[in-house]
Amino acid sequence: MFARAALRTSRLSTSAASTLSSTAALRRRLASSLVFLEHKDGKLNDSSLSAVIAAKVLGNDTAGIVIGSKADVDGVIEEAKKIEGLSKIYTAASDAYAHALAENVAPALAKVLPAKSISHIFAAHTAVGKNVFPRLAGLLDSSMIADIIALESSGDTFTRPIYAGNAILKIKSSPKDAIKIVTVRTTAFDKASVGSGSAAVEEVEATTGDSPTKYLSEELTVSSRPDLSSAPRVVSGGRALKSQENFNSVLDPLADALGAAVGASRAAVDAGYADNSLQVGQTGKVVAPELYVAVGISGAIQHLAGMKESKMIVAINKDPDAPIFQVADVGLVADLFEAVPDLAKKIESAKA
Amino acid sequence: MRPTLPSLKYNILVPVKRSIDYAVKIRVASDGKGVDTNVKHSMNPFDEIAVEEAIRLREKKPSVVSSITALSIGPPKAADTIRTALAMGADSGIHITVPESTVVEPISVAHALKKVIEDKKFDLVIMGKQAIDDDSGSTGGMLAGMLGWGQGSFASKLEVEEGGKVNVTREIDGGLEKVEGKLPMIVTTDLRLNEPRYASLPNIMKAKKKKIETLKPEDLGLDFTPRFETISVSEPPKRQGGGKVESVDELVGKMKEAGLI
């Protein structure tokens, strides 16, 4: 990859400049990657572990960075140090960094990246990544490469879904974007292991953006179920559930029987049957569990965008022509109000 | 960034994108470099929500909103998208025209918006959180970074008080977050922010009389040369439906077979 890059550069330059171009190529080779390690309430968010695996494709030296409030960072660093594949953990602590406010965190990153000769920075394509990284791109006048599902070791070629996953775009980034700012679709990469790593910790002098906005409060949906984005099994409901009561009373026993997280289509969320944070699709979460059970979901393009990478898709729907049956591995045409409770019961008894 | 709060009245800019209609099943073009664009287009759904929100802000407090301007960057047909925004209730439009084949990347859009904002003094930008074609979701944040303004991304509720204090409820993973900002500010819209109105026929007629200023990138000193080179656009791997089963028992059997029970 090194030779090819050098060749390309030298073709474009005169022979007098060829020394320069090989210096540039060398610098590129020596450059290193950084993974933005997201965390909440003093705990590492494991979607960042997928970003580590993506970063390692480049074969560069890869460090992690933990930015947060003083109260939070210590615990997160302890976890972060053990991530396999990271040579170093940079850290910056300030109460200004609490709640990952983009106006404070992005300037901190913008200062660290050039200081540490970072060529690529990766984050998970989560709400935090999607909020902080575009601002970082604006600060550095660099493009952003969002939601990648693959990348090449050359470090300038990335693959990402467009049009709600109905087309796959492969792009080559220009040298004009000196630092590649990349978010990673977490379901497209494995997660780095946490355990045997022993990265050194280095505090970095960062800066805050003197944020014009401030955090007020948050309201989280409390659930005893597995987290939707990372759950190995998901049971999702659509408009056909008809009410919030049904949504819970019909889906919960099945989710319990399978040990699954609960998701929802946009129609179910818009109708108020389920919370926004449960929405699966182009504008909600993208999941790729081993089992996805779609209950009363027709299978609109926007919903399929969020779940069609699931290993096994089961669909239960009254309408035999619902598009969901075109992607489902197993389809059952039935009234969900009868079939789902029956299925939950039979799974429970099969387990016993 | 202006150092002090703006005066009582503020100007809203709503960038809107003409994109392939959300209901269209897209096809990859035969040259493998893009998608077939000879299909129905409409305003990016998140941008409709942005236009609606701007209008609602004025309806709530008519005295504090001076103007609502819809802006689009795109080929001549993007003027239709601006007209739609005008028919919904925006006052005037700005159209930065580019040839049909030009791809305008988010970074170019952000540069263009920055230039227009500096030239024409806007105080609040309300824009979609992502375009449903490119799905990049980066323009709003980039612009906020370039301008040094606060950002309220993925807004599901927006309040602007007299004096310029802004309250935004944001959709985050796991729930909602409330932030407080002040004008000038960039807000990006999530689906839950509102239900956009349909333009009535009289308003569509009225919109024809509203002014759209047409600019060229050169007029603004902008260079839209893409930074990305498209290597390929391809179909995603096709998923084969596995057929249907007749009963719950058969379904349980299939799940057992797959080792899921």
Side-chain angles (χ1 to χ4, degrees), chain B:
Chain B
M1 194 169 82
R2 271 153 279 167
T4 50
L5 284 181
S7 61
L8 227 56
K9 285 165 101 60
Y10 57 91
N11 297 305
I12 306 178
L13 179 68
V14 188
V16 293
K17 183 175 189 180
R18 176 178 179 268
S19 56
I20 291 183
D21 189 84
Y22 72 96
V24 170
K25 176 99 180 74
I26 63 112
R27 280 210 189 95
V28 170
S30 51
D31 67 355
K33 293 279 182 184
V35 303
D36 182 3
T37 54
N38 201 9
V39 292
K40 186 186 175 198
H41 282 63
S42 44
M43 190 190 297
N44 176 40
F46 291 102
D47 302 346
E48 279 187 2
I49 294 170
V51 175
E52 175 67 30
E53 194 62 20
I55 298 161
R56 288 189 190 190
L57 285 178
R58 175 155 64 191
E59 283 169 350
K60 255 183 268 172
K61 288 180 186 148
S63 60
V64 298
V65 177
S66 313
S67 71
I68 300 171
T69 305
L71 177 150
S72 194
I73 305 172
K77 281 179 187 156
D80 299 347
T81 306
I82 298 173
R83 286 280 167 220
T84 305
L86 297 178
M88 287 172 74
D91 303 319
S92 62
I94 299 172
H95 183 186
I96 301 176
T97 54
V98 298
E100 184 75 50
S101 59
T102 304
V103 174
V104 188
E105 294 174 349
I107 186 112
S108 303
V109 175
H111 276 296
L113 294 176
K114 176 173 184 272
K115 182 73 173 63
V116 169
I117 288 165
E118 285 168 349
D119 287 354
K120 300 187 188 273
K121 306 292 176 208
F122 290 97
D123 310 284
L124 174 63
V125 180
I126 310 178
M127 58 199 289
K129 73 165 180 178
Q130 82 193 67
I132 59 161
D133 46 11
D134 169 67
D135 279 337
S136 180
S138 54
T139 309
M142 273 181 188
L143 176 63
M146 286 177 184
L147 289 165
W149 292 9
Q151 65 190 63
S153 313
F154 329 133
S156 61
K157 194 172 176 203
L158 171 64
E159 291 162 333
V160 185
E161 292 176 16
E162 302 202 10
K165 199 172 109 179
V166 182
N167 277 298
V168 183
T169 303
R170 305 180 48 233
E171 298 210 0
I172 59 170
D173 292 338
L176 299 170
E177 177 184 271
K178 286 187 178 153
V179 295
E180 182 189 291
K182 55 177 193 273
L183 297 181
M185 193 165 172
I186 312 281
V187 173
T188 71
T189 61
D190 216 319
L191 285 169
R192 246 65 56 176
L193 186 58
N194 61 49
E195 188 80 38
R197 70 193 64 190
Y198 290 103
S200 64
L201 190 60
N203 285 342
I204 293 171
M205 300 312 288
K206 259 190 251 166
K208 292 189 173 163
K209 297 201 185 93
K210 292 180 181 174
K211 196 170 156 263
I212 298 179
E213 182 182 0
T214 305
L215 297 168
K216 290 221 158 55
E218 308 85 84
D219 302 337
L220 296 163
L222 297 165
D223 174 10
F224 287 163
T225 310
R227 297 197 190 179
F228 291 113
E229 178 195 335
T230 297
I231 295 176
S232 65
V233 174
S234 55
E235 298 264 359
K238 278 255 183 314
R239 209 183 160 107
Q240 281 291 324
K244 290 170 188 158
V245 293
E246 291 300 319
S247 66
V248 170
D249 288 316
E250 256 187 85
L251 173 53
V252 171
K254 291 272 188 193
M255 289 168 83
K256 265 189 195 159
E257 234 173 78
L260 292 161
I261 304 173

Side-chain angles (χ1 to χ4, degrees), chain A residues 38 40 45 99 101-103 125-128 130-132 134-139 141-147 157-158 160-174 176-177 211-222 229 233 254 258 266 269-270 275-277 279 282-285 290-291 293 301-302 307-316 319-321 325-333 338-340 342-343 346-347 350-351, chain B residues 1 19-28 33-35 37 41 45-46 49 105-107 111 129-154 156 166-168 170-182 184-186 190-192 194-195 223 225-237 239-252 254-256 258-261:
Chain A
E38 190 182 328
K40 188 163 181 67
N45 181 337
H99 310 290
L101 217 55
E103 291 87 337
H125 192 67
T126 57
V128 170
K130 287 188 262 188
N131 190 35
V132 172
R135 191 176 184 95
L136 173 63
L139 292 173
D141 190 9
S142 187
S143 299
M144 179 168 146
I145 306 152
D147 203 19
T157 304
F158 303 88
R160 50 184 302 269
I162 54 173
Y163 292 95
N166 288 297
I168 304 296
L169 171 69
K170 192 170 180 180
I171 42 171
K172 191 164 161 187
S173 161
S174 108
K176 208 170 169 189
D177 292 325
S211 178
T213 54
K214 68 175 190 226
Y215 167 90
L216 294 180
S217 63
E218 70 185 8
E219 227 175 279
L220 299 180
T221 312
V222 188
S229 316
R233 296 163 180 209
L254 181 58
L258 290 165
R266 186 185 163 196
V269 170
D270 282 351
D275 190 79
N276 295 344
S277 59
Q279 188 186 318
Q282 183 184 21
T283 58
K285 296 221 166 59
E290 61 173 19
L291 173 67
V293 185
I301 299 171
Q302 292 79 11
M307 46 65 82
K308 66 181 178 186
E309 301 304 317
S310 305
K311 285 207 182 66
M312 182 178 181
I313 297 173
V314 171
I316 301 173
D319 174 10
D321 298 324
F325 287 122
Q326 290 163 23
V327 301
D329 299 286
V330 188
L332 176 63
V333 181
E338 287 163 23
V340 174
D342 192 21
L343 177 61
K346 284 178 171 150
I347 291 171
K351 282 197 300 189
Chain B
M1 194 169 82
S19 56
I20 291 183
D21 189 84
Y22 72 96
V24 170
K25 176 99 180 74
I26 63 112
R27 280 210 189 95
V28 170
K33 293 279 182 184
V35 303
T37 54
H41 282 63
F46 291 102
I49 294 170
E105 294 174 349
I107 186 112
H111 276 296
K129 73 165 180 178
Q130 82 193 67
I132 59 161
D133 46 11
D134 169 67
D135 279 337
S136 180
S138 54
T139 309
M142 273 181 188
L143 176 63
M146 286 177 184
L147 289 165
W149 292 9
Q151 65 190 63
S153 313
F154 329 133
S156 61
V166 182
N167 277 298
V168 183
R170 305 180 48 233
E171 298 210 0
I172 59 170
D173 292 338
L176 299 170
E177 177 184 271
K178 286 187 178 153
V179 295
E180 182 189 291
K182 55 177 193 273
M185 193 165 172
I186 312 281
D190 216 319
L191 285 169
R192 246 65 56 176
N194 61 49
E195 188 80 38
D223 174 10
T225 310
R227 297 197 190 179
F228 291 113
E229 178 195 335
T230 297
I231 295 176
S232 65
V233 174
S234 55
E235 298 264 359
R239 209 183 160 107
Q240 281 291 324
K244 290 170 188 158
V245 293
E246 291 300 319
S247 66
V248 170
D249 288 316
E250 256 187 85
L251 173 53
V252 171
K254 291 272 188 193
M255 289 168 83
K256 265 189 195 159
L260 292 161
I261 304 173

Side-chain angles (χ1 to χ4, degrees), chain A residues 143-157:
Chain A
S143 299
M144 179 168 146
I145 306 152
D147 203 19
I148 64 158
I149 55 173
L151 72 168
E152 289 181 7
S153 60
S154 59
D156 61 5
T157 304

